């Protein structure tokens, strides 16, 4: 009986964890570049204890397929094609990666994404005042100035575009993605990923969230029903234990 209760408790905890992931997916259904997350519970074969034998290892995965494209026609909105990623520095100065291509210029004339500074390809990107920006398909940033009826175009810098191994991605609470430590692609001196010259972007559009709302809602309802079943199982075991104790007391 204790084994049945233990199994039901483990299952209920896993269902609560799944519900938390699904709730986060639905909450970010309108977040630019958001990637749907889900978890799998894998049986832990290394533990032989009677109770711990039912423990499962939880692994987190992300759906990295592209979301729908929103044509904004804004010069500082970019869509990173295929498996490419934009590089930023988080608030702690650590390099991180995102699919959110909604770039802004802050008060210090730096390009940012959600207040995180955009990292340049071997350059420090600083945006001059009173210019028109243009971002080319290879990530090069140029400025256009009209002077004496002539249009002057200058290179300001270039975005650092990277290709990441999906199996080694970790997403933190800030919504940014990071590479697991000891990955072979990490530069052993700077602990960062090198720029990939083959990655291409398209300006004037944004990639929306790839969350499938209907599928997540169905899974949420299914998980809720399964959770109810586990709670009923625990309740039934408690009732059976009470009946058994009552019979023992009568016999005594």
């Amino acid at each position: 009986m204790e084994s049945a209760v233990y199994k039901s408790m483990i299952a209920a905890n896993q269902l609560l964890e799944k519900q938390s992931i699904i709730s986060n997916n639905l909450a970010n259904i309108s977040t630019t570049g958001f990637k749907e997350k889900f978890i799998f519970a894998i049986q832990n074969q290394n533990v032989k204890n009677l109770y711990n034998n039912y423990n499962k290892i939880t692994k987190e995965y992300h759906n990295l397929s592209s979301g729908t494209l929103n044509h904004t026609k804004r010069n500082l909105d970019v869509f990173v094609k295929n498996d490419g990623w934009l590089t930023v520095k988080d608030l702690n100065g650590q390099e991180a990666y995102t699919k959110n291509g909604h770039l802004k210029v802050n008060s210090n004339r730096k390009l940012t994404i959600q207040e995180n500074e955009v990292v340049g390809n071997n350059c420090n990107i600083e945006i001059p005042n009173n210019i028109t920006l243009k971002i080319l398909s290879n990530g090069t940033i140029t400025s256009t100035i009209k002077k004496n009826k002539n249009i002057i175009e200058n290179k300001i810098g270039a975005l650092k575009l990277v290709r990441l191994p999906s199996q080694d991605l970790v997403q933190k609470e800030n919504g940014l993605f990071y590479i697991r430590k000891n990955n072979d692609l990490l530069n052993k001196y700077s602990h960062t990923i090198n720029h990939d010259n083959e990655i291409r972007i398209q300006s004037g559009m944004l990639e929306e969230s790839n969350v499938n709302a209907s599928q997540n809602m169905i899974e949420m309802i299914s998980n809720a029903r399964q959770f109810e079943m586990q709670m009923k199982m625990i309740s039934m075991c408690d009732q059976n234990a009470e009946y058994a104790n009552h019979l023992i007391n009568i016999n005594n």
Side-chain angles (χ1 to χ4, degrees):
M1 189 177 296
E2 289 182 359
S3 175
V5 171
Y6 183 80
K7 285 197 291 184
S8 293
M9 288 176 60
I10 292 296
N13 284 332
Q14 290 170 351
L15 288 167
L16 285 176
E17 189 174 359
K18 283 185 178 180
Q19 291 294 66
S20 176
I21 296 293
I22 293 172
S23 297
N24 186 60
N25 286 340
L26 293 172
N28 286 281
I29 199 167
S30 59
T31 302
T32 301
F34 181 82
K35 296 302 177 186
E36 185 178 36
K37 183 163 63 175
F38 50 96
I39 59 173
F40 282 131
I42 302 173
Q43 187 80 36
N44 185 359
Q45 301 292 342
N46 296 324
V47 182
K48 302 300 181 182
N49 181 276
L50 174 63
Y51 296 112
N52 288 336
N53 187 46
Y54 302 109
N55 277 348
K56 294 185 179 180
I57 303 172
T58 301
K59 290 196 174 183
E60 186 178 289
Y61 295 89
H62 290 87
N63 173 13
L64 298 180
S65 63
S66 297
T68 57
L69 297 182
N70 178 18
H71 294 260
T72 64
K73 298 182 181 180
R74 179 175 174 267
N75 289 348
L76 289 181
D77 285 342
V78 297
F79 160 58
V80 189
K81 297 182 179 180
N82 301 324
D83 52 355
W85 295 75
L86 291 164
T87 309
V88 298
K89 281 184 181 178
D90 64 18
L91 299 181
N92 296 319
Q94 185 178 355
E95 191 165 290
Y97 310 97
T98 181
K99 281 283 191 177
N100 184 346
H102 187 58
L103 284 71
K104 294 182 178 179
V105 181
N106 67 10
S107 58
N108 296 321
R109 310 307 299 171
K110 298 288 187 180
L111 275 183
T112 61
I113 297 175
Q114 294 178 320
E115 300 183 2
N116 300 291
E117 184 179 338
V118 175
V119 175
N121 178 22
N122 295 321
C123 65
N124 184 23
I125 303 173
E126 189 167 336
I127 309 301
N129 288 308
N130 303 320
I131 63 167
T132 300
L133 284 181
K134 184 179 180 181
I135 303 179
L136 307 182
S137 62
N138 62 356
T140 300
I141 305 170
T142 62
S143 65
T144 302
I145 304 176
K146 190 175 182 180
K147 190 175 183 180
N148 298 329
K149 297 183 179 180
N150 295 321
I151 296 177
I152 302 174
E153 193 170 282
N154 296 312
K155 179 180 177 180
I156 295 176
L159 301 173
K160 181 178 178 181
L161 306 172
V162 298
R163 195 187 308 271
L164 303 179
S166 59
Q167 69 276 10
D168 287 334
L169 284 180
V170 177
Q171 188 180 31
K172 295 188 178 180
E173 292 182 358
N174 58 11
L176 299 174
F177 285 83
Y178 297 79
I179 296 294
R180 296 183 194 275
K181 294 181 179 179
N182 302 322
N183 185 279
D184 293 337
L185 292 178
L186 287 175
N187 186 308
K188 63 180 179 179
Y189 300 107
S190 61
H191 301 287
T192 60
I193 300 290
N194 293 326
H195 173 82
D196 192 323
N197 291 319
E198 296 182 0
I199 299 297
R200 292 292 178 266
I201 66 173
Q202 189 167 346
S203 62
M205 60 175 56
L206 290 173
E207 179 184 352
E208 300 297 340
S209 167
N210 68 351
V211 173
N212 186 323
S214 57
Q215 181 180 344
N216 277 267
M217 286 298 295
I218 291 171
E219 289 184 4
M220 178 174 279
I221 294 170
S222 175
N223 288 339
R225 289 175 177 171
Q226 291 181 57
F227 183 82
E228 272 183 47
M229 290 175 59
Q230 299 301 334
M231 291 298 98
K232 287 181 179 179
M233 181 68 71
I234 294 174
S235 177
M236 287 176 60
C237 289
D238 286 341
Q239 290 178 8
N240 289 339
E242 288 182 9
Y243 293 151
N245 289 334
H246 182 66
L247 289 174
I248 292 172
N249 290 334
I250 291 174
N251 292 332
N252 289 336

